Amino acid sequence: MDTRAAMEPSPRILDPATRLASVDIVIPVLNEERALPGCVRTLASFLDGFPLPWRITIVDNGSTDATWPIATALAGEHDDVHARRLDIRGRGAALRAAWQDSPADIVAYMDVDLSTDLDALFPLVASVASGHSEIAIGTRLAHGSRTRRSLRREVVSRGYNALLRYGFGVRFSDAQCGFKAARTDVVRPLMGKIEDDSWFFDTELLLLAEHNGLRVHEVPVDWIEDADSRVRVVRTAIDDLKGLARVAWSMSTGRAEVEVARSEPTPTHPDAVLTGRRAVTLAKFTSIAAIGVISVILYALAYLPLRGFWSPAAANLGALVLTGVFNVEASRRWASGRRGAAHIRAAALFATGFVLTTAAVLALPAGTGRPVEVGLVVATYGLLTLFRLAALDRWVFSRTRK
């Protein structure tokens, strides 16, 4: 239910003559009768000097207090404020509905408590409007950010984002900051794949975006925790872990693939001589092959000292863990790609490698010398790496021929 034809293009927002990207800032609310008036009036006052055409969309999703009457009153008070009511709860549901129907070129959102300083809004939107990235997010965990929040939320946030970084290989540092913007035409195809209607919506959006090759830009922000926040930290953390397992399964089975409009780098000079696609993929394959060779050497250097005071199986596990950490970090830094699925495959390869290398060393007759044992287990690990590279070679160069 809308207070006016909110989804009809407004001359101020979509006038082609302006040649400026328009911005729709969504504020999802649930029982926020206290915070909503101050939020909208402060934001509208700030946006009076904003260099891009804008509007504010309040989405009330299931409030039982006076939030909806206040939202309609604010929409009547300001020409560029619109209100919409949903019958279902959840921040994700509110953003999905508003972003799907928005007439603006860029969709954004922020929390009603305005915990994030508004000075970061233009840098956030500008990175998307300029074409530098498809999605931009505020981060409280980067250099240059300043935050004030409780120790519990600090520990939970850093732990959760570390899990994303090392478990999925993501490049962004803060998935949960309620301060994001995206190109509308790019984010809409992702909406069909996002299943969460609540707090995990943000993480799922970013995981799918990076998995499908979209660029995520981060803006350091100043952030102050609001004691009246509706976030239930422990319950949200549990729901997030369930969501991560679901997304990991989608990535590993290929169901997370989305056809999105990705911009590719193009030369500025009209007579530029470009490197062929096969040369680029060959360079990437060479980087991955180098990682494989180094990992075999690292495995041998790790297994030998560990075997001095551990059993063969324990020493093998320790060496695999060390090389696994190296492989994840090296692949993330030197070989770009769809990191989510790659990390799922890496976990499967780790399990396979542990079983085969352990079986090889345990199959040796009793009394076999240490050099033979080390040589066998390193050779087994090396063969597994070689088979993986051979499979990768067929995949890489079959793609370059398409």
Side-chain angles (χ1 to χ4, degrees), residues 34-83:
R34 181 194 65 82
L36 183 58
C39 167
V40 172
R41 290 174 183 138
T42 300
L43 180 58
S45 176
F46 175 85
L47 290 171
D48 278 342
F50 205 65
L52 298 177
W54 58 270
R55 82 173 191 182
I56 300 170
T57 300
I58 305 167
V59 183
D60 176 13
N61 55 330
S63 294
T64 56
D65 61 1
T67 296
W68 176 240
I70 291 174
T72 58
L74 290 167
E77 180 181 332
H78 301 273
D79 291 338
D80 297 302
V81 175
H82 302 266

Side-chain angles (χ1 to χ4, degrees), residues 131-134 183 186 213-215 260-266:
H132 176 271
S133 57
E134 287 77 39
R183 273 178 46 194
V186 171
L214 300 179
R215 296 168 298 173
V260 291
R262 292 188 297 269
S263 59
E264 298 294 337
T266 56

Side-chain angles (χ1 to χ4, degrees), residues 139-359:
T139 175
R140 300 159 293 186
L141 302 178
H143 294 295
S145 300
R146 297 183 297 180
T147 62
R148 272 191 1 213
R149 58 178 169 178
S150 65
L151 178 61
R152 182 177 68 160
R153 290 194 67 167
E154 180 76 12
V155 170
V156 170
S157 177
R158 289 188 177 275
Y160 179 70
N161 284 287
L163 176 61
L164 291 176
R165 187 163 59 254
Y166 294 108
F168 286 80
V170 301
R171 291 179 175 174
F172 54 84
S173 63
D174 189 356
Q176 299 164 308
C177 183
F179 198 70
K180 294 179 173 65
R183 273 178 46 194
T184 308
D185 64 327
V186 171
V187 79
R188 279 177 178 157
L190 297 177
M191 297 293 102
K193 291 289 185 179
I194 298 176
E195 299 181 19
D196 190 81
D197 284 337
S198 191
W199 301 104
F200 186 67
F201 176 92
D202 294 56
T203 301
E204 191 166 1
L205 168 67
L206 296 177
L207 288 176
L208 291 179
E210 281 207 347
H211 179 72
N212 287 281
L214 300 179
R215 296 168 298 173
V216 178
H217 177 71
E218 290 195 309
V219 176
V221 299
D222 293 345
W223 191 88
I224 300 175
E225 180 179 358
D226 188 335
D228 192 35
S229 173
R230 299 293 188 269
V231 180
R232 300 295 177 262
V233 177
V234 176
R235 178 178 176 180
T236 301
I238 295 174
D239 291 340
D240 286 349
L241 292 176
K242 294 178 181 178
L244 289 177
R246 174 173 53 77
V247 173
W249 177 254
S250 295
M251 289 179 174
S252 65
T253 57
R255 294 191 296 112
E257 310 293 329
V258 181
E259 289 295 329
V260 291
R262 292 188 297 269
S263 59
E264 298 294 337
T266 56
T268 301
H269 197 290
D271 301 321
V273 179
L274 304 181
T275 302
R277 181 182 176 188
R278 185 178 180 87
V280 173
T281 52
L282 178 61
K284 181 181 291 188
F285 174 78
T286 302
S287 297
I288 298 174
I291 294 172
V293 172
I294 295 172
S295 69
V296 173
I297 297 173
L298 180 62
Y299 175 86
L301 294 176
Y303 182 86
L304 189 58
L306 290 176
R307 183 64 182 89
F309 51 91
W310 282 356
S311 67
N316 178 43
L317 178 60
L320 286 174
V321 169
L322 290 174
T323 53
V325 171
F326 165 78
N327 283 331
V328 167
E329 280 300 302
S331 298
R332 184 173 68 88
R333 293 176 182 272
W334 301 344
S336 59
R338 289 179 172 172
R339 289 169 294 279
H343 279 61
I344 302 302
R345 289 192 293 270
L349 288 171
F350 177 87
T352 303
F354 175 70
V355 171
L356 293 179
T357 51
T358 301

